[in-house]
Amino acid sequence: MLVDNKIYNVLGIFVTVSKLSSIDNSTIEKIKNLKSVLDVGLALISCRVIISEHALLSLVYNIASAHKYGYNKLRKLDSELILVLAGKNVFHEAVDKITPKAGDCTLIVLLSDDKSKIQKAESFIRTNLSSELEEANLKTSFSLNDLGLIEKFALFYVWYK
């Protein structure tokens, strides 16, 4: 039985993460199709990119701040997350850099300013991917790799002003 994922609240943005140990092209397409029916942001990210809660929460803090104070680059939170995480100012380059390929371990990140929408979306995804979905279990300890990522997130808006 799969346990409920943690739902983080960062500046009023709720985020939860699930994991697929290996993804194939049909599952990627299935998730893309699910995205069109969900009323939340959804990003597919390779597991090699984010490995800790600290890095994830710092990233969400950065994009939530950008949207709150008006210095965001893109309108949607999930798109902004991909841009900042990749450290690229061109969206298709960012997508190419961090999204998983067939066979990769994948994180499914859901974002919304409405906690109930996150809960509904998570339940919907769990129903549609039940046999494949796992708890993300991101590391809770802080490492120097996290520090490098967090510094990159903080400088993103300075680099691409």
Side-chain angles (χ1 to χ4, degrees):
M1 179 80 180
L2 188 63
V3 296
D4 286 337
N5 290 330
K6 292 180 189 175
I7 297 178
Y8 305 95
N9 179 351
V10 181
L11 292 179
I13 301 299
F14 296 95
V15 61
T16 188
V17 183
S18 300
K19 178 177 142 184
L20 295 169
S21 292
S22 180
I23 198 164
D24 58 33
N25 288 328
S26 66
T27 305
I28 291 172
E29 287 307 311
K30 190 175 188 180
I31 293 170
K32 285 180 183 177
N33 291 334
L34 291 177
K35 184 175 180 171
S36 66
V37 299
L38 299 175
D39 193 19
V40 298
L42 184 153
L44 293 179
I45 299 171
S46 175
C47 290
R48 66 179 159 68
V49 180
I50 291 185
I51 57 170
S52 79
E53 286 182 357
H54 296 289
L56 174 68
L57 297 177
S58 295
L59 173 61
V60 174
Y61 179 85
N62 203 325
I63 64 169
S65 293
H67 280 258
K68 182 176 181 177
Y69 298 111
Y71 58 91
N72 51 302
K73 296 281 193 176
L74 301 172
R75 190 175 48 84
K76 295 169 62 180
L77 288 171
D78 52 345
S79 299
E80 189 90 11
L81 179 136
I82 290 169
L83 202 67
V84 175
L85 180 57
K88 298 284 185 181
N89 199 33
V90 179
F91 186 70
H92 74 274
E93 290 177 9
V95 168
D96 288 343
K97 184 174 179 179
I98 67 156
T99 56
K101 309 297 183 248
D104 284 354
C105 173
T106 302
L107 298 176
I108 301 171
V109 180
L110 300 173
L111 302 127
S112 177
D113 59 0
D114 185 332
K115 186 176 181 178
S116 66
K117 287 181 180 181
I118 287 289
Q119 292 166 324
K120 288 176 188 172
E122 185 179 38
S123 176
F124 187 80
I125 285 178
R126 183 170 287 133
T127 300
N128 285 276
L129 298 173
S130 62
S131 63
E132 304 163 53
L133 208 58
E134 304 172 18
E135 188 176 1
N137 287 327
L138 297 174
K139 292 180 186 175
T140 56
S141 60
F142 190 80
S143 74
L144 290 178
N145 289 338
D146 291 327
L147 183 58
L149 266 180
I150 291 167
E151 287 174 348
K152 182 176 82 170
F153 303 156
L155 291 172
F156 175 82
Y157 295 102
V158 173
W159 294 332
Y160 298 113
K161 203 168 192 185

